[in-house]
Amino acid sequence: MYLPKIFLLLLSSHLVLALVTLDTIRDLTSLTDECRDRITDEGDVIQLPGTPQVHLGSGQEDGGEIEDNITYALRILCSELFIALETPLSPPISSASSSQAVECQMVIEEYHAFLGATVQFLHEIQERQMKWRWDAQSGVRDELSWLQSLWASRSSNTQDRSFIEQQMKMYAETGCFGTSNEVLRRDVEIVEYINDLIDLFG
Ligand SMILES: *[C@@H]1O[C@H](CO)[C@@H](O)[C@H](O)[C@H]1NC(C)=O
């Protein structure tokens, strides 16, 4: 593919605005939490004073509906991630934003919160898969495969970007992780977790 020279310069320069931003990570963290809630809220809970909790609809759990809900929640998450990765690269508007002092403690905490939310969501899916044993044709597996490719593969979007690379680039620009390869290492752990989950199907 032909790339105008200006793009090549931008790509190799520190001025490039990472496409995935700290805001993206923040948004994805709350979205991931919402997606987790979506699959863990199994019916309304009524609490009457002095009585044990009563779950509406308990005792008639429907594996198919749970499967649909997980598929849907994963699709919502993947769609957002896909949109972020599909967004064409735009030249930086001003360099002011990139020279802004970065609160490293906050950046690192937010990164860990994002990973934590992701692991929790995946864990909820894992527990349900252990219980219901959906097979390789499951929509859940399809969406997990999509999530895996968005994280790890460049070919899952038209801009040739993997989410891991985007995060590495963005966090490198903050300087908050020094020379450690923590972001790569932890991100790869997430992908390994997704791979292990995919292996549970079929
Ligand atoms: C599936 O999602 C719907 C809509 O959010 C919800 O009302 C329903 O309780 C969920 N079903 C299960 C089994 O979690």
Side-chain angles (χ1 to χ4, degrees), residues 25-39:
I25 299 298
R26 223 167 279 142
D27 292 347
L28 284 172
T29 304
S30 38
L31 183 65
T32 305
D33 284 339
E34 280 170 33
C35 287
R36 191 204 57 221
D37 289 347
R38 195 176 263 278
I39 66 171

Side-chain angles (χ1 to χ4, degrees), residues 26-150:
R26 223 167 279 142
D27 292 347
L28 284 172
T29 304
S30 38
L31 183 65
T32 305
D33 284 339
E34 280 170 33
C35 287
R36 191 204 57 221
D37 289 347
R38 195 176 263 278
I39 66 171
T40 53
D41 285 353
E42 285 158 5
D44 297 323
V45 176
I46 306 176
Q47 172 88 71
L48 298 173
T51 62
Q53 288 194 340
V54 179
H55 285 266
L56 284 185
S58 63
Q60 38 183 312
E61 269 193 312
D62 181 347
E65 193 180 320
I66 293 171
E67 184 181 14
D68 288 348
N69 284 5
I70 297 175
T71 304
Y72 185 62
L74 275 168
R75 192 172 300 155
I76 291 173
L77 186 62
C78 288
S79 301
E80 281 306 309
L81 191 48
F82 176 73
I83 289 166
L85 295 174
E86 274 286 302
T87 309
L89 196 63
S90 54
I93 297 155
S94 89
S95 57
S97 56
S98 57
S99 61
Q100 207 169 290
V102 178
E103 284 284 347
C104 277
Q105 195 186 335
M106 192 191 73
V107 168
I108 292 170
E109 276 173 12
E110 287 184 354
Y111 175 57
H112 289 168
F114 170 61
L115 295 171
T118 303
V119 168
Q120 277 182 35
F121 180 44
L122 294 175
H123 181 71
E124 294 295 340
I125 296 171
Q126 180 185 2
E127 290 206 317
R128 282 155 185 77
Q129 167 59 5
M130 302 297 275
K131 177 169 179 188
W132 296 99
R133 304 272 171 200
W134 296 302
D135 65 17
Q137 273 71 52
S138 171
V140 177
R141 187 188 188 280
D142 290 343
E143 302 302 326
L144 283 171
S145 301
W146 188 17
L147 186 65
Q148 194 267 13
S149 66
L150 288 166

